[in-house]
Amino acid sequence: MQTGAFRALNGHFAAHVVAVTIDAVQSGILLERTGLTAGDAFSELGDLLQDGLSSGQGAVEPPAAAVRSSKGRISAPS
């Protein structure tokens, strides 16, 4: 936060969101409702955290020709 890479937010809230999400993945509830695998769900959680905590300074935008898969993942075209 001191270098500006992360924005200020309530750390306790962020930690609880992560804990609840991990519980939902491990119980299978989140996987059933989203159709994601556990690996995909944890990858999405990591992306969400990184994007949500980032201050936006020096952030890399997805390529203009990005492709969204059937599971909602964004990737560069092959």
Side-chain angles (χ1 to χ4, degrees), residues 2-78:
Q2 290 176 339
T3 63
F6 298 105
R7 60 190 191 94
L9 57 79
N10 185 312
H12 292 289
F13 176 78
H16 283 302
V17 167
V18 170
V20 167
T21 304
I22 290 171
D23 286 344
V25 170
Q26 291 178 337
S27 72
I29 292 171
L30 188 68
L31 306 179
E32 181 180 313
R33 292 182 181 173
T34 63
L36 295 172
T37 65
D40 288 339
F42 285 122
S43 179
E44 292 290 337
L45 178 59
D47 291 346
L48 183 63
L49 285 170
Q50 184 174 3
D51 293 343
L53 296 174
S54 172
S55 68
Q57 296 178 1
V60 177
E61 302 231 355
V67 176
R68 185 174 291 274
S69 72
S70 62
K71 293 189 178 186
R73 302 274 309 158
I74 296 175
S75 61
S78 318

